[in-house]
C-alpha cells in the first residue's frame, strides 16, 4: 500500500495554507461571481453535476495514486482536490450571497465546523488523556467514533 503512514505526517503548524492564500481564493471567487457570465449565472442546482463529476475525478486520481504513488499521480490528486475545493468555495459563496454575508463568511463557518467536528469525534486523540507519543488502539477509536456518531444522529433527530 502506498498511502502515507502516520509516521510520514507533518507536525501541525510546521507548514500549511496561509491566510493570504485563503483570502486570495475567496476574492477570486467573488470576482468570478461579479465578472464572469458563466459563474454569475450558476446556482446550487446547476453546480450539482459538477460537484459529482469533480468528486468522481478525485476518486479516479486517488485510485491511480494508490496503485502508483508517482509524482504525476500525486499532482493529479492535488489538482482534483483543488477542483473539489472549488465546488466548496463556489457553494459557500452562493450561501454568502443568499444570506447577505461577506464572501468568505460561510467558508469560515465550514472550516470552524470541521475543526470542531474533528476534535469532538476524536476524543482519544484530543482529550485530556491523549499523548503525542502514544496512539490509542484502532478498535477503541472505532468504538468511540461509532458511539459519538450515534449520539450526534440522535441529537439531530431530536431537533427535527
Amino acid at each position: 500500500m502506498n498511502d502515507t503512514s502516520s509516521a510520514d505526517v507533518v507536525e501541525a503548524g510546521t507548514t500549511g495554507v496561509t491566510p493570504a492564500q485563503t483570502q486570495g481564493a475567496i476574492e477570486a471567487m467573488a470576482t468570478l461571481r461579479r465578472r464572469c457570465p458563466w459563474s454569475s449565472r450558476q446556482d446550487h442546482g446547476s453546480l450539482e453535476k459538477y460537484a459529482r463529476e469533480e468528486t468522481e475525478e478525485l476518486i479516479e486520481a486517488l485510485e491511480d495514486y494508490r496503485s502508483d504513488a508517482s509524482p504525476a499521480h500525486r499532482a493529479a490528486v492535488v489538482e482534483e482536490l483543488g477542483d473539489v475545493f472549488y465546488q466548496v468555495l463556489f457553494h459557500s459563496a452562493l450561501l454568502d450571497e443568499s444570506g447577505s454575508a461577506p464572501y468568505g463568511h460561510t467558508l469560515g463557518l465550514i472550516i470552524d465546523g470541521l475543526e470542531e467536528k474533528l476534535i469532538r469525534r476524536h476524543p482519544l486523540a484530543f482529550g485530556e488523556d491523549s499523548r503525542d507519543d502514544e496512539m490509542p488502539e484502532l478498535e477503541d477509536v472505532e468504538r468511540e467514533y461509532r458511539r459519538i456518531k450515534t449520539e450526534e444522529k440522535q441529537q439531530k433527530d431530536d431537533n427535527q
Side-chain angles (χ1 to χ4, degrees):
M1 177 181 280
N2 291 321
D3 290 335
T4 303
S5 73
S6 60
D8 296 328
V9 175
V10 176
E11 284 295 313
T14 58
T15 62
V17 69
T18 66
Q21 288 171 305
T22 305
Q23 191 58 39
I26 292 166
E27 289 172 7
M29 186 72 246
T31 298
L32 285 175
R33 290 292 291 163
R34 283 192 317 272
R35 297 184 186 164
C36 174
W38 184 87
S39 295
S40 66
R41 289 182 175 91
Q42 300 308 306
D43 60 26
H44 294 293
S46 66
L47 291 172
E48 184 177 317
K49 66 182 176 184
Y50 301 110
R52 291 178 194 277
E53 286 174 11
E54 298 302 350
T55 302
E56 268 303 314
E57 290 174 11
L58 172 60
I59 291 167
E60 290 172 17
L62 288 167
E63 289 169 352
D64 291 343
Y65 182 74
R66 282 195 309 272
S67 67
D68 174 19
S70 69
H73 286 143
R74 183 183 191 287
V77 170
V78 170
E79 181 178 342
E80 295 307 332
L81 285 168
D83 291 344
V84 171
F85 183 69
Y86 175 56
Q87 292 299 309
V88 172
L89 188 62
F90 210 138
H91 285 278
S92 69
L94 293 173
L95 290 171
D96 289 340
E97 291 170 7
S98 68
S100 299
Y103 283 111
H105 175 77
T106 301
L107 186 60
L109 294 174
I110 292 166
I111 293 168
D112 288 346
L114 176 59
E115 180 184 7
E116 290 170 10
K117 185 182 289 186
L118 290 171
I119 293 168
R120 181 179 67 248
R121 289 188 178 172
H122 299 87
L124 298 177
F126 293 101
E128 292 177 12
D129 296 332
S130 65
R131 295 176 37 185
D132 283 341
D133 62 343
E134 189 176 296
M135 191 177 296
E137 294 296 321
L138 178 59
E139 297 78 21
D140 295 336
V141 170
E142 289 173 339
R143 183 176 45 254
E144 189 67 6
Y145 186 83
R146 283 191 303 272
R147 181 190 66 74
I148 292 166
K149 284 282 290 180
T150 300
E151 284 180 6
E152 288 175 354
K153 183 178 180 345
Q154 185 61 48
Q155 287 176 349
K156 192 179 236 182
D157 290 346
D158 290 347
N159 291 333
Q160 289 181 358

mmCIF file with all atom_site columns, all heavy atoms in Angstrom, residues 49-67:
data_model
loop_
_atom_site.group_PDB
_atom_site.id
_atom_site.type_symbol
_atom_site.label_atom_id
_atom_site.label_alt_id
_atom_site.label_comp_id
_atom_site.label_asym_id
_atom_site.label_entity_id
_atom_site.label_seq_id
_atom_site.pdbx_PDB_ins_code
_atom_site.Cartn_x
_atom_site.Cartn_y
_atom_site.Cartn_z
_atom_site.occupancy
_atom_site.B_iso_or_equiv
_atom_site.pdbx_formal_charge
_atom_site.auth_seq_id
_atom_site.auth_comp_id
_atom_site.auth_asym_id
_atom_site.auth_atom_id
_atom_site.pdbx_PDB_model_num
ATOM 1   N N   . LYS A 1 49 ? -24.116 18.838 -10.862 1.00 0.00 ? 49 LYS A N   1
ATOM 2   C CA  . LYS A 1 49 ? -23.452 17.876 -11.750 1.00 0.00 ? 49 LYS A CA  1
ATOM 3   C C   . LYS A 1 49 ? -21.931 18.037 -11.707 1.00 0.00 ? 49 LYS A C   1
ATOM 4   O O   . LYS A 1 49 ? -21.193 17.056 -11.793 1.00 0.00 ? 49 LYS A O   1
ATOM 5   C CB  . LYS A 1 49 ? -23.976 17.982 -13.175 1.00 0.00 ? 49 LYS A CB  1
ATOM 6   C CG  . LYS A 1 49 ? -23.652 19.273 -13.878 1.00 0.00 ? 49 LYS A CG  1
ATOM 7   C CD  . LYS A 1 49 ? -24.246 19.308 -15.270 1.00 0.00 ? 49 LYS A CD  1
ATOM 8   C CE  . LYS A 1 49 ? -23.996 20.651 -15.917 1.00 0.00 ? 49 LYS A CE  1
ATOM 9   N NZ  . LYS A 1 49 ? -24.648 20.721 -17.225 1.00 0.00 ? 49 LYS A NZ  1
ATOM 10  N N   . TYR A 1 50 ? -21.462 19.266 -11.538 1.00 0.00 ? 50 TYR A N   1
ATOM 11  C CA  . TYR A 1 50 ? -20.012 19.487 -11.472 1.00 0.00 ? 50 TYR A CA  1
ATOM 12  C C   . TYR A 1 50 ? -19.430 18.953 -10.165 1.00 0.00 ? 50 TYR A C   1
ATOM 13  O O   . TYR A 1 50 ? -18.322 18.413 -10.151 1.00 0.00 ? 50 TYR A O   1
ATOM 14  C CB  . TYR A 1 50 ? -19.687 20.977 -11.648 1.00 0.00 ? 50 TYR A CB  1
ATOM 15  C CG  . TYR A 1 50 ? -20.188 21.514 -12.964 1.00 0.00 ? 50 TYR A CG  1
ATOM 16  C CD1 . TYR A 1 50 ? -21.255 22.401 -13.003 1.00 0.00 ? 50 TYR A CD1 1
ATOM 17  C CD2 . TYR A 1 50 ? -19.611 21.115 -14.164 1.00 0.00 ? 50 TYR A CD2 1
ATOM 18  C CE1 . TYR A 1 50 ? -21.735 22.884 -14.213 1.00 0.00 ? 50 TYR A CE1 1
ATOM 19  C CE2 . TYR A 1 50 ? -20.084 21.592 -15.378 1.00 0.00 ? 50 TYR A CE2 1
ATOM 20  C CZ  . TYR A 1 50 ? -21.146 22.472 -15.392 1.00 0.00 ? 50 TYR A CZ  1
ATOM 21  O OH  . TYR A 1 50 ? -21.625 22.945 -16.590 1.00 0.00 ? 50 TYR A OH  1
ATOM 22  N N   . ALA A 1 51 ? -20.179 19.097 -9.098  1.00 0.00 ? 51 ALA A N   1
ATOM 23  C CA  . ALA A 1 51 ? -19.713 18.548 -7.817  1.00 0.00 ? 51 ALA A CA  1
ATOM 24  C C   . ALA A 1 51 ? -19.563 17.026 -7.928  1.00 0.00 ? 51 ALA A C   1
ATOM 25  O O   . ALA A 1 51 ? -18.582 16.450 -7.454  1.00 0.00 ? 51 ALA A O   1
ATOM 26  C CB  . ALA A 1 51 ? -20.674 18.923 -6.693  1.00 0.00 ? 51 ALA A CB  1
ATOM 27  N N   . ARG A 1 52 ? -20.532 16.390 -8.565  1.00 0.00 ? 52 ARG A N   1
ATOM 28  C CA  . ARG A 1 52 ? -20.459 14.939 -8.765  1.00 0.00 ? 52 ARG A CA  1
ATOM 29  C C   . ARG A 1 52 ? -19.279 14.564 -9.666  1.00 0.00 ? 52 ARG A C   1
ATOM 30  O O   . ARG A 1 52 ? -18.523 13.641 -9.358  1.00 0.00 ? 52 ARG A O   1
ATOM 31  C CB  . ARG A 1 52 ? -21.752 14.413 -9.380  1.00 0.00 ? 52 ARG A CB  1
ATOM 32  C CG  . ARG A 1 52 ? -22.934 14.460 -8.460  1.00 0.00 ? 52 ARG A CG  1
ATOM 33  C CD  . ARG A 1 52 ? -24.197 13.954 -9.180  1.00 0.00 ? 52 ARG A CD  1
ATOM 34  N NE  . ARG A 1 52 ? -25.399 14.278 -8.465  1.00 0.00 ? 52 ARG A NE  1
ATOM 35  C CZ  . ARG A 1 52 ? -25.879 13.564 -7.467  1.00 0.00 ? 52 ARG A CZ  1
ATOM 36  N NH1 . ARG A 1 52 ? -25.244 12.487 -7.059  1.00 0.00 ? 52 ARG A NH1 1
ATOM 37  N NH2 . ARG A 1 52 ? -26.989 13.933 -6.870  1.00 0.00 ? 52 ARG A NH2 1
ATOM 38  N N   . GLU A 1 53 ? -19.131 15.270 -10.782 1.00 0.00 ? 53 GLU A N   1
ATOM 39  C CA  . GLU A 1 53 ? -18.039 14.977 -11.717 1.00 0.00 ? 53 GLU A CA  1
ATOM 40  C C   . GLU A 1 53 ? -16.675 15.146 -11.056 1.00 0.00 ? 53 GLU A C   1
ATOM 41  O O   . GLU A 1 53 ? -15.790 14.296 -11.212 1.00 0.00 ? 53 GLU A O   1
ATOM 42  C CB  . GLU A 1 53 ? -18.115 15.905 -12.939 1.00 0.00 ? 53 GLU A CB  1
ATOM 43  C CG  . GLU A 1 53 ? -19.205 15.579 -13.905 1.00 0.00 ? 53 GLU A CG  1
ATOM 44  C CD  . GLU A 1 53 ? -19.315 16.610 -15.024 1.00 0.00 ? 53 GLU A CD  1
ATOM 45  O OE1 . GLU A 1 53 ? -18.415 17.475 -15.177 1.00 0.00 ? 53 GLU A OE1 1
ATOM 46  O OE2 . GLU A 1 53 ? -20.325 16.563 -15.755 1.00 0.00 ? 53 GLU A OE2 1
ATOM 47  N N   . GLU A 1 54 ? -16.508 16.251 -10.339 1.00 0.00 ? 54 GLU A N   1
ATOM 48  C CA  . GLU A 1 54 ? -15.205 16.511 -9.710  1.00 0.00 ? 54 GLU A CA  1
ATOM 49  C C   . GLU A 1 54 ? -14.894 15.481 -8.627  1.00 0.00 ? 54 GLU A C   1
ATOM 50  O O   . GLU A 1 54 ? -13.745 15.065 -8.470  1.00 0.00 ? 54 GLU A O   1
ATOM 51  C CB  . GLU A 1 54 ? -15.143 17.928 -9.151  1.00 0.00 ? 54 GLU A CB  1
ATOM 52  C CG  . GLU A 1 54 ? -15.285 19.020 -10.193 1.00 0.00 ? 54 GLU A CG  1
ATOM 53  C CD  . GLU A 1 54 ? -14.247 18.978 -11.314 1.00 0.00 ? 54 GLU A CD  1
ATOM 54  O OE1 . GLU A 1 54 ? -13.262 18.223 -11.227 1.00 0.00 ? 54 GLU A OE1 1
ATOM 55  O OE2 . GLU A 1 54 ? -14.429 19.715 -12.292 1.00 0.00 ? 54 GLU A OE2 1
ATOM 56  N N   . THR A 1 55 ? -15.914 15.054 -7.906  1.00 0.00 ? 55 THR A N   1
ATOM 57  C CA  . THR A 1 55 ? -15.708 14.024 -6.887  1.00 0.00 ? 55 THR A CA  1
ATOM 58  C C   . THR A 1 55 ? -15.307 12.707 -7.535  1.00 0.00 ? 55 THR A C   1
ATOM 59  O O   . THR A 1 55 ? -14.404 12.017 -7.052  1.00 0.00 ? 55 THR A O   1
ATOM 60  C CB  . THR A 1 55 ? -16.974 13.863 -6.019  1.00 0.00 ? 55 THR A CB  1
ATOM 61  O OG1 . THR A 1 55 ? -17.273 15.129 -5.415  1.00 0.00 ? 55 THR A OG1 1
ATOM 62  C CG2 . THR A 1 55 ? -16.783 12.815 -4.943  1.00 0.00 ? 55 THR A CG2 1
ATOM 63  N N   . GLU A 1 56 ? -15.959 12.348 -8.627  1.00 0.00 ? 56 GLU A N   1
ATOM 64  C CA  . GLU A 1 56 ? -15.607 11.128 -9.358  1.00 0.00 ? 56 GLU A CA  1
ATOM 65  C C   . GLU A 1 56 ? -14.172 11.198 -9.872  1.00 0.00 ? 56 GLU A C   1
ATOM 66  O O   . GLU A 1 56 ? -13.423 10.222 -9.795  1.00 0.00 ? 56 GLU A O   1
ATOM 67  C CB  . GLU A 1 56 ? -16.558 10.898 -10.536 1.00 0.00 ? 56 GLU A CB  1
ATOM 68  C CG  . GLU A 1 56 ? -17.746 10.054 -10.209 1.00 0.00 ? 56 GLU A CG  1
ATOM 69  C CD  . GLU A 1 56 ? -17.390 8.677  -9.668  1.00 0.00 ? 56 GLU A CD  1
ATOM 70  O OE1 . GLU A 1 56 ? -16.513 7.975  -10.232 1.00 0.00 ? 56 GLU A OE1 1
ATOM 71  O OE2 . GLU A 1 56 ? -17.974 8.308  -8.651  1.00 0.00 ? 56 GLU A OE2 1
ATOM 72  N N   . GLU A 1 57 ? -13.785 12.351 -10.409 1.00 0.00 ? 57 GLU A N   1
ATOM 73  C CA  . GLU A 1 57 ? -12.426 12.518 -10.916 1.00 0.00 ? 57 GLU A CA  1
ATOM 74  C C   . GLU A 1 57 ? -11.407 12.414 -9.786  1.00 0.00 ? 57 GLU A C   1
ATOM 75  O O   . GLU A 1 57 ? -10.318 11.857 -9.975  1.00 0.00 ? 57 GLU A O   1
ATOM 76  C CB  . GLU A 1 57 ? -12.294 13.832 -11.668 1.00 0.00 ? 57 GLU A CB  1
ATOM 77  C CG  . GLU A 1 57 ? -13.047 13.822 -12.987 1.00 0.00 ? 57 GLU A CG  1
ATOM 78  C CD  . GLU A 1 57 ? -13.066 15.167 -13.687 1.00 0.00 ? 57 GLU A CD  1
ATOM 79  O OE1 . GLU A 1 57 ? -12.321 16.099 -13.272 1.00 0.00 ? 57 GLU A OE1 1
ATOM 80  O OE2 . GLU A 1 57 ? -13.844 15.303 -14.658 1.00 0.00 ? 57 GLU A OE2 1
ATOM 81  N N   . LEU A 1 58 ? -11.748 12.916 -8.617  1.00 0.00 ? 58 LEU A N   1
ATOM 82  C CA  . LEU A 1 58 ? -10.863 12.780 -7.459  1.00 0.00 ? 58 LEU A CA  1
ATOM 83  C C   . LEU A 1 58 ? -10.704 11.309 -7.085  1.00 0.00 ? 58 LEU A C   1
ATOM 84  O O   . LEU A 1 58 ? -9.590  10.831 -6.839  1.00 0.00 ? 58 LEU A O   1
ATOM 85  C CB  . LEU A 1 58 ? -11.390 13.572 -6.260  1.00 0.00 ? 58 LEU A CB  1
ATOM 86  C CG  . LEU A 1 58 ? -10.656 13.353 -4.938  1.00 0.00 ? 58 LEU A CG  1
ATOM 87  C CD1 . LEU A 1 58 ? -9.176  13.728 -5.048  1.00 0.00 ? 58 LEU A CD1 1
ATOM 88  C CD2 . LEU A 1 58 ? -11.337 14.123 -3.817  1.00 0.00 ? 58 LEU A CD2 1
ATOM 89  N N   . ILE A 1 59 ? -11.796 10.583 -7.059  1.00 0.00 ? 59 ILE A N   1
ATOM 90  C CA  . ILE A 1 59 ? -11.734 9.156  -6.717  1.00 0.00 ? 59 ILE A CA  1
ATOM 91  C C   . ILE A 1 59 ? -10.851 8.405  -7.706  1.00 0.00 ? 59 ILE A C   1
ATOM 92  O O   . ILE A 1 59 ? -10.013 7.583  -7.312  1.00 0.00 ? 59 ILE A O   1
ATOM 93  C CB  . ILE A 1 59 ? -13.157 8.569  -6.643  1.00 0.00 ? 59 ILE A CB  1
ATOM 94  C CG1 . ILE A 1 59 ? -13.891 9.148  -5.429  1.00 0.00 ? 59 ILE A CG1 1
ATOM 95  C CG2 . ILE A 1 59 ? -13.120 7.035  -6.582  1.00 0.00 ? 59 ILE A CG2 1
ATOM 96  C CD1 . ILE A 1 59 ? -15.380 8.891  -5.412  1.00 0.00 ? 59 ILE A CD1 1
ATOM 97  N N   . GLU A 1 60 ? -10.990 8.702  -8.992  1.00 0.00 ? 60 GLU A N   1
ATOM 98  C CA  . GLU A 1 60 ? -10.147 8.062  -10.014 1.00 0.00 ? 60 GLU A CA  1
ATOM 99  C C   . GLU A 1 60 ? -8.672  8.405  -9.797  1.00 0.00 ? 60 GLU A C   1
ATOM 100 O O   . GLU A 1 60 ? -7.805  7.531  -9.899  1.00 0.00 ? 60 GLU A O   1
ATOM 101 C CB  . GLU A 1 60 ? -10.588 8.486  -11.411 1.00 0.00 ? 60 GLU A CB  1
ATOM 102 C CG  . GLU A 1 60 ? -11.928 7.910  -11.818 1.00 0.00 ? 60 GLU A CG  1
ATOM 103 C CD  . GLU A 1 60 ? -12.438 8.490  -13.137 1.00 0.00 ? 60 GLU A CD  1
ATOM 104 O OE1 . GLU A 1 60 ? -11.630 9.079  -13.902 1.00 0.00 ? 60 GLU A OE1 1
ATOM 105 O OE2 . GLU A 1 60 ? -13.640 8.365  -13.399 1.00 0.00 ? 60 GLU A OE2 1
ATOM 106 N N   . ALA A 1 61 ? -8.385  9.664  -9.512  1.00 0.00 ? 61 ALA A N   1
ATOM 107 C CA  . ALA A 1 61 ? -6.997  10.080 -9.277  1.00 0.00 ? 61 ALA A CA  1
ATOM 108 C C   . ALA A 1 61 ? -6.426  9.384  -8.043  1.00 0.00 ? 61 ALA A C   1
ATOM 109 O O   . ALA A 1 61 ? -5.254  8.975  -8.039  1.00 0.00 ? 61 ALA A O   1
ATOM 110 C CB  . ALA A 1 61 ? -6.908  11.600 -9.133  1.00 0.00 ? 61 ALA A CB  1
ATOM 111 N N   . LEU A 1 62 ? -7.245  9.225  -7.020  1.00 0.00 ? 62 LEU A N   1
ATOM 112 C CA  . LEU A 1 62 ? -6.791  8.532  -5.810  1.00 0.00 ? 62 LEU A CA  1
ATOM 113 C C   . LEU A 1 62 ? -6.514  7.052  -6.095  1.00 0.00 ? 62 LEU A C   1
ATOM 114 O O   . LEU A 1 62 ? -5.536  6.488  -5.590  1.00 0.00 ? 62 LEU A O   1
ATOM 115 C CB  . LEU A 1 62 ? -7.821  8.670  -4.688  1.00 0.00 ? 62 LEU A CB  1
ATOM 116 C CG  . LEU A 1 62 ? -7.916  10.060 -4.067  1.00 0.00 ? 62 LEU A CG  1
ATOM 117 C CD1 . LEU A 1 62 ? -9.169  10.174 -3.213  1.00 0.00 ? 62 LEU A CD1 1
ATOM 118 C CD2 . LEU A 1 62 ? -6.672  10.383 -3.267  1.00 0.00 ? 62 LEU A CD2 1
ATOM 119 N N   . GLU A 1 63 ? -7.361  6.439  -6.902  1.00 0.00 ? 63 GLU A N   1
ATOM 120 C CA  . GLU A 1 63 ? -7.130  5.036  -7.282  1.00 0.00 ? 63 GLU A CA  1
ATOM 121 C C   . GLU A 1 63 ? -5.808  4.900  -8.027  1.00 0.00 ? 63 GLU A C   1
ATOM 122 O O   . GLU A 1 63 ? -5.028  3.976  -7.763  1.00 0.00 ? 63 GLU A O   1
ATOM 123 C CB  . GLU A 1 63 ? -8.293  4.519  -8.131  1.00 0.00 ? 63 GLU A CB  1
ATOM 124 C CG  . GLU A 1 63 ? -9.569  4.332  -7.339  1.00 0.00 ? 63 GLU A CG  1
ATOM 125 C CD  . GLU A 1 63 ? -10.783 4.073  -8.218  1.00 0.00 ? 63 GLU A CD  1
ATOM 126 O OE1 . GLU A 1 63 ? -10.697 4.183  -9.475  1.00 0.00 ? 63 GLU A OE1 1
ATOM 127 O OE2 . GLU A 1 63 ? -11.852 3.767  -7.636  1.00 0.00 ? 63 GLU A OE2 1
ATOM 128 N N   . ASP A 1 64 ? -5.548  5.819  -8.962  1.00 0.00 ? 64 ASP A N   1
ATOM 129 C CA  . ASP A 1 64 ? -4.284  5.798  -9.698  1.00 0.00 ? 64 ASP A CA  1
ATOM 130 C C   . ASP A 1 64 ? -3.106  5.979  -8.752  1.00 0.00 ? 64 ASP A C   1
ATOM 131 O O   . ASP A 1 64 ? -2.085  5.281  -8.864  1.00 0.00 ? 64 ASP A O   1
ATOM 132 C CB  . ASP A 1 64 ? -4.255  6.896  -10.766 1.00 0.00 ? 64 ASP A CB  1
ATOM 133 C CG  . ASP A 1 64 ? -5.223  6.648  -11.904 1.00 0.00 ? 64 ASP A CG  1
ATOM 134 O OD1 . ASP A 1 64 ? -5.694  5.499  -12.065 1.00 0.00 ? 64 ASP A OD1 1
ATOM 135 O OD2 . ASP A 1 64 ? -5.520  7.624  -12.637 1.00 0.00 ? 64 ASP A OD2 1
ATOM 136 N N   . TYR A 1 65 ? -3.234  6.891  -7.823  1.00 0.00 ? 65 TYR A N   1
ATOM 137 C CA  . TYR A 1 65 ? -2.151  7.168  -6.873  1.00 0.00 ? 65 TYR A CA  1
ATOM 138 C C   . TYR A 1 65 ? -1.883  5.969  -5.968  1.00 0.00 ? 65 TYR A C   1
ATOM 139 O O   . TYR A 1 65 ? -0.738  5.655  -5.669  1.00 0.00 ? 65 TYR A O   1
ATOM 140 C CB  . TYR A 1 65 ? -2.482  8.418  -6.047  1.00 0.00 ? 65 TYR A CB  1
ATOM 141 C CG  . TYR A 1 65 ? -1.390  8.788  -5.076  1.00 0.00 ? 65 TYR A CG  1
ATOM 142 C CD1 . TYR A 1 65 ? -0.210  9.372  -5.526  1.00 0.00 ? 65 TYR A CD1 1
ATOM 143 C CD2 . TYR A 1 65 ? -1.520  8.552  -3.716  1.00 0.00 ? 65 TYR A CD2 1
ATOM 144 C CE1 . TYR A 1 65 ? 0.803   9.717  -4.648  1.00 0.00 ? 65 TYR A CE1 1
ATOM 145 C CE2 . TYR A 1 65 ? -0.514  8.894  -2.833  1.00 0.00 ? 65 TYR A CE2 1
ATOM 146 C CZ  . TYR A 1 65 ? 0.650   9.472  -3.305  1.00 0.00 ? 65 TYR A CZ  1
ATOM 147 O OH  . TYR A 1 65 ? 1.654   9.796  -2.432  1.00 0.00 ? 65 TYR A OH  1
ATOM 148 N N   . ARG A 1 66 ? -2.957  5.297  -5.528  1.00 0.00 ? 66 ARG A N   1
ATOM 149 C CA  . ARG A 1 66 ? -2.760  4.114  -4.680  1.00 0.00 ? 66 ARG A CA  1
ATOM 150 C C   . ARG A 1 66 ? -2.032  3.006  -5.428  1.00 0.00 ? 66 ARG A C   1
ATOM 151 O O   . ARG A 1 66 ? -1.260  2.272  -4.834  1.00 0.00 ? 66 ARG A O   1
ATOM 152 C CB  . ARG A 1 66 ? -4.095  3.614  -4.134  1.00 0.00 ? 66 ARG A CB  1
ATOM 153 C CG  . ARG A 1 66 ? -4.612  4.423  -2.965  1.00 0.00 ? 66 ARG A CG  1
ATOM 154 C CD  . ARG A 1 66 ? -5.727  3.715  -2.222  1.00 0.00 ? 66 ARG A CD  1
ATOM 155 N NE  . ARG A 1 66 ? -6.803  3.245  -3.063  1.00 0.00 ? 66 ARG A NE  1
ATOM 156 C CZ  . ARG A 1 66 ? -7.871  3.964  -3.413  1.00 0.00 ? 66 ARG A CZ  1
ATOM 157 N NH1 . ARG A 1 66 ? -8.006  5.204  -2.979  1.00 0.00 ? 66 ARG A NH1 1
ATOM 158 N NH2 . ARG A 1 66 ? -8.807  3.459  -4.185  1.00 0.00 ? 66 ARG A NH2 1
ATOM 159 N N   . SER A 1 67 ? -2.274  2.883  -6.724  1.00 0.00 ? 67 SER A N   1
ATOM 160 C CA  . SER A 1 67 ? -1.602  1.832  -7.482  1.00 0.00 ? 67 SER A CA  1
ATOM 161 C C   . SER A 1 67 ? -0.187  2.224  -7.887  1.00 0.00 ? 67 SER A C   1
ATOM 162 O O   . SER A 1 67 ? 0.655   1.359  -8.113  1.00 0.00 ? 67 SER A O   1
ATOM 163 C CB  . SER A 1 67 ? -2.424  1.448  -8.719  1.00 0.00 ? 67 SER A CB  1
ATOM 164 O OG  . SER A 1 67 ? -2.457  2.520  -9.630  1.00 0.00 ? 67 SER A OG  1
#
